[in-house]
Amino acid sequence: MNPYLFLKTYKKNSLCYFAFLLSAVMMLTGCHQISKPNKPNVIIVMTDDQGIGDLSYHGNPYLKTPNLDKFAAESTGLSNFHVSPLCTPTRSAIITGQYPVRNGAWATYKGRDAIQREFPTIADVFRAQGYHTAHFGKWHLGDNFPVRPTDCGFDYSLQHRSGGVGELSDYWGNTYFDDTYYENNEPKKFQGYCTDIWFEQTIRHIENHQDKPFFIYLATNAPHSPLIVEDKYKKPYEKFEGKQIISAAYLGMIANIDENFGKLDRYLKKSGQAENTILIFMTDNGTQYGYSYEKNMGFNKGYRGNKSNKEEGGHRVPFYIRWPKGGIEAGFESNQLAAHVDLLPTLAQLCDFTPEETAYLDGIDLSEILLQKKKDIDRSVFIHHRQDPAAPDDWQGSAILKNEWRLLHGKKLYHITEDSLQLKDIYQQQPEMVAQLKAENEAFMKATKTAMPYQQLPAPLVGHPKQEEVVLTIQHAMGTDRGIWKSEQVAEGMKNTNNRFALDVHRKGKYQISCRRWPKECPGKIWGVPAENPKNHFQYQAIKPEKVHISIGTHNLVKSIREEDEAIDCIVELEKGRNFLTADFIEGNEKYGVYYIYISAIPSNS
């Protein structure tokens, strides 16, 4: 029976939540066990926006990925492996073992790009088994407590913030080269290219943590846009650009990933750790710049669909796993339908965990498939996401997968092995299969709608001692306007009306809400521009809002802005519990969202 049928609704206060979390980790992982020296290490390497066709091992006639090709040949492949069509939903499924519509992180912005701490994460599970846990690169599951990597089971994290290097929620001035990243939530300057840094720091971290088995989640931001890489990597592909391929820089970014993956692989082999390390390579969704069906450019391994699409190319991705000592054979390939939600239960079983309770998990254990003890497992995979705070529709924007069948939007049915481009709709010819898939999705969604994260928006916990100051940006503000997500857009004074945030107040008391035009790490007057222009990267444009308006709880405040103001600070008394904050700049008759908001508790003796 599918795990979602066992889903329970948990109503928590702070005490029962932590009691439940502790007991769930103990039940899931068997905390009475002590990690044995021969337990395998685990490394998940996941790239961003690299699709099913973006490997020479998959037949790409332009791109060269020799290191990944070699690794794939030494591994077992899951050729029918699926994720969500966008960044955050896939990451949320890997970290929680639950579908995005179940864990609440089904969008990449507007308040739905953060998980909710209802259940143990994959890092919680491994840490409870005695593993050292570390994360490198992209997170995109929340920038504030309680859902930063270090709040979610990782002993160590080195990351950029939000969805990409250089986005407005990231450190101001990051450009892929010589940037400032967050090491355990504190900013730290690094020299070099972002992808190089993620891999170099991973290797260094492994060298310094040899006392226990390790679980590492290495998630690159490349080859996500902006398409930035050294010329030497993109030069071999420039002759194809605009003719056979869309972007030479995009392929160059993948070539750089391949080079770095090769360095990691050689390090593991030279240090003698490769034999007992479960090493996985996968990607987070379909390609964005590697293929265009409309332009007949690029390569997608015969599938239609790109990033964000429900067609096969939007969610079918490369997946290779190697573990020589554990009996995962080189060169074996399975067509078993598999998905991102399967990683947690599968890795737990491979690492000899003894879970007693997995009712909250949506994934299935694929270890017997990987070890060739079982040929196939009958199952379905559910894909729902929506770029909005409102919940995804049960049908519109959905893809229901069962073996080789694909039901899209509840209206079109395809058999993927006979029609990889999904050009022949056989919905009318297969009424029994349509009815079966519809019934499964209806049961899945009925159970999902009882889950708290489906009904409740994720919210940073303000006033908690583990994060003294919560930072909100217009990138994650809710509203109906188009998104603002790039630092350049903020620098140029782009405006939108998105202005609403969900908050969870940790304790009753006074709070300071500080509204700013510019981030604290690059300050400037609200009517002016920062004195610093990091790397001369921005074209600054001044704006002149006359007032700030905030609304939260019983407070509805309007304050005038003076020429010398860098921030407008509002002091409010807040009750414990959930609330909504709206924050606007007012300029004449125009209202638009505040770019940066800093919230901190005021000590009771102040």
Side-chain angles (χ1 to χ4, degrees):
M1 186 175 291
N2 287 330
Y4 61 78
L5 297 178
F6 292 98
L7 185 72
K8 300 181 178 74
T9 301
Y10 290 90
K11 297 181 179 179
K12 62 180 177 65
N13 57 38
S14 58
L15 290 176
C16 72
Y17 165 61
F18 286 108
F20 163 73
L21 183 62
L22 177 61
S23 62
V25 172
M26 293 177 68
M27 285 189 295
L28 177 64
T29 63
C31 286
H32 58 281
Q33 298 179 1
I34 302 298
S35 291
K36 300 175 182 178
N38 63 351
K39 279 192 175 292
N41 304 309
V42 179
I43 304 175
I44 301 172
V45 177
M46 184 170 71
T47 63
D48 195 356
D49 290 0
Q50 181 178 357
I52 188 71
D54 295 329
L55 287 172
S56 50
Y57 192 75
H58 283 183
N60 192 303
Y62 316 109
L63 177 63
K64 302 300 179 186
T65 52
N67 294 295
L68 288 168
D69 294 358
K70 181 181 178 182
F71 171 73
E74 296 172 351
S75 304
T76 280
L78 294 177
S79 59
N80 196 3
F81 187 88
H82 296 263
V83 293
S84 298
L86 286 174
C87 310
T88 291
T90 290
R91 293 160 206 279
S92 72
I94 291 171
I95 293 299
T96 67
Q98 297 176 305
Y99 286 110
V101 73
R102 179 72 51 71
N103 63 46
W106 56 65
T108 63
Y109 69 146
K110 289 191 176 182
R112 273 293 182 181
D113 63 337
I115 57 174
Q116 300 186 50
R117 291 292 274 137
E118 296 294 319
F119 300 101
T121 67
I122 192 171
D124 287 325
V125 168
F126 273 91
R127 185 159 67 175
Q129 283 288 325
Y131 278 70
H132 176 78
T133 57
H135 158 258
F136 298 87
K138 181 167 176 173
W139 179 242
H140 207 181
L141 295 174
D143 293 332
N144 293 296
F145 181 80
V147 292
R148 301 165 300 180
T150 54
D151 307 321
C152 294
F154 286 99
D155 297 308
Y156 176 86
S157 175
L158 177 64
Q159 63 166 135
H160 65 80
R161 284 186 174 169
S162 195
V165 171
E167 291 189 2
L168 72 90
S169 298
D170 193 27
Y171 196 89
W172 189 264
N174 280 355
T175 61
Y176 281 49
F177 291 95
D178 304 333
D179 290 336
T180 298
Y181 303 126
Y182 292 88
E183 184 178 51
N184 289 349
N185 308 312
E186 295 298 326
K188 182 178 179 180
K189 183 78 171 177
F190 288 84
Q191 295 296 314
Y193 182 63
C194 53
T195 306
D196 298 343
I197 290 168
W198 309 137
F199 279 90
E200 289 167 2
Q201 293 299 313
T202 295
I203 292 171
R204 182 175 298 178
H205 199 77
I206 293 172
E207 289 176 338
N208 294 331
H209 292 84
Q210 296 291 317
D211 57 326
K212 58 174 68 175
F214 56 78
F215 172 84
I216 290 177
Y217 173 50
L218 195 174
T220 70
N221 55 291
H224 191 288
S225 64
L227 304 181
I228 301 170
V229 72
E230 286 185 79
D231 288 345
K232 67 178 181 179
Y233 294 105
K234 65 182 179 181
K235 190 172 180 60
Y237 306 109
E238 289 177 344
K239 59 187 175 184
F240 304 118
E241 190 171 71
K243 302 171 185 176
Q244 290 94 352
I245 68 169
I246 298 168
S247 169
Y250 175 79
L251 298 190
M253 294 171 82
I254 298 173
N256 173 265
I257 290 169
D258 179 79
E259 180 179 280
N260 276 290
F261 189 91
K263 290 178 181 178
L264 173 62
D265 193 22
R266 287 189 293 275
Y267 164 74
L268 292 172
K269 290 176 177 176
K270 186 177 180 180
S271 63
Q273 297 178 83
E275 283 292 310
N276 201 32
T277 295
I278 298 173
L279 179 59
I280 292 171
F281 175 81
M282 61 177 293
T283 72
D284 72 339
N285 48 244
T287 189
Q288 184 167 17
Y289 296 101
Y291 165 77
S292 170
Y293 175 78
E294 291 75 15
K295 296 179 181 179
N296 192 27
M297 293 175 65
F299 178 79
N300 212 32
K301 207 172 182 251
Y303 298 108
R304 188 174 186 173
N306 292 53
K307 175 181 179 178
S308 82
N309 298 153
K310 297 305 188 300
E311 286 77 18
E312 197 78 355
H315 46 82
R316 189 170 186 145
V317 299
F319 184 95
Y320 291 97
I321 179 170
R322 187 185 69 193
W323 183 25
K325 187 175 180 179
I328 294 180
E329 292 185 5
F332 174 66
E333 186 173 287
S334 170
N335 196 45
Q336 166 69 44
L337 179 63
H340 44 20
V341 291
D342 301 332
L343 262 67
L344 197 163
T346 300
L347 289 171
Q349 189 62 41
L350 288 174
C351 295
D352 198 27
F353 296 179
T354 54
E356 299 173 11
E357 175 63 58
T358 59
Y360 75 93
L361 293 175
D362 289 320
I364 65 172
D365 170 21
L366 296 173
S367 61
E368 291 191 332
I369 298 292
L370 296 172
L371 296 170
Q372 301 182 55
K373 295 179 180 179
K374 187 179 289 188
K375 188 175 181 180
D376 54 61
I377 301 171
D378 185 55
R379 60 90 60 95
S380 299
V381 169
F382 304 90
I383 297 175
H384 302 81
H385 81 272
R386 183 177 183 177
Q387 287 289 69
D388 193 84
D393 188 82
D394 290 13
W395 293 109
Q396 184 58 39
S398 71
I400 315 304
L401 288 53
K402 188 173 186 66
N403 302 322
E404 298 302 310
W405 298 97
R406 307 290 184 262
L407 179 65
L408 303 190
H409 314 293
K411 297 178 180 178
K412 297 182 178 181
L413 183 70
Y414 302 96
H415 193 281
I416 202 66
T417 55
E418 297 175 1
D419 180 22
S420 66
L421 284 175
Q422 294 170 278
L423 300 175
K424 184 181 179 182
D425 177 14
I426 53 175
Y427 185 95
Q428 299 297 333
Q429 290 76 40
Q430 297 288 338
E432 292 184 1
M433 181 53 63
V434 168
Q436 181 180 354
L437 293 174
K438 282 194 169 185
E440 290 190 19
N441 186 56
E442 286 168 0
F444 169 76
M445 290 303 295
K446 182 179 180 180
T448 291
K449 290 173 184 178
T450 67
M452 188 179 296
Y454 178 91
Q455 303 169 1
Q456 175 179 275
L457 284 160
L461 197 57
V462 298
H464 195 280
K466 288 192 175 181
Q467 186 182 9
E468 293 182 358
E469 184 175 68
V470 166
V471 184
L472 307 174
T473 77
I474 198 170
Q475 180 173 6
H476 305 295
M478 291 179 284
T480 59
D481 210 343
R482 60 180 177 173
I484 293 179
W485 68 94
K486 296 180 180 179
S487 298
E488 296 95 309
Q489 294 170 323
V490 170
E492 293 163 5
M494 181 181 288
K495 304 169 184 176
N496 77 17
T497 58
N498 298 335
N499 64 352
R500 195 164 184 250
F501 303 87
L503 299 176
D504 193 355
V505 179
H506 176 62
R507 60 178 175 83
K508 178 181 178 180
K510 288 185 178 180
Y511 289 82
Q512 176 177 284
I513 300 175
S514 180
C515 298
R516 304 177 69 98
R517 163 76 167 95
W518 306 102
K520 281 189 174 182
E521 65 265 25
C522 192
K525 295 178 181 178
I526 294 175
W527 290 357
V529 300
E532 181 186 1
N533 190 346
K535 307 174 191 175
N536 293 315
H537 180 65
F538 299 110
Q539 296 293 323
Y540 286 134
Q541 178 66 47
I543 60 173
K544 199 171 182 180
E546 298 143 14
K547 299 176 182 178
V548 164
H549 167 246
I550 73 160
S551 175
I552 184 170
T554 59
H555 301 281
N556 191 33
L557 306 176
V558 177
K559 286 194 170 187
S560 296
I561 300 171
R562 300 168 299 178
E563 183 177 0
E564 65 269 22
D565 288 331
E566 287 190 359
I568 298 298
D569 297 332
C570 301
I571 307 300
V572 294
E573 182 85 23
L574 298 179
E575 297 292 327
K576 176 181 171 62
R578 287 183 163 258
N579 219 316
F580 285 97
L581 166 70
T582 61
D584 290 294
F585 283 132
I586 301 173
E587 190 171 343
N589 295 324
E590 185 181 16
K591 293 177 69 174
Y592 48 93
V594 172
Y595 297 107
Y596 291 91
I597 303 167
Y598 296 79
I599 306 174
S600 56
I602 298 173
S604 56
N605 57 357
S606 296

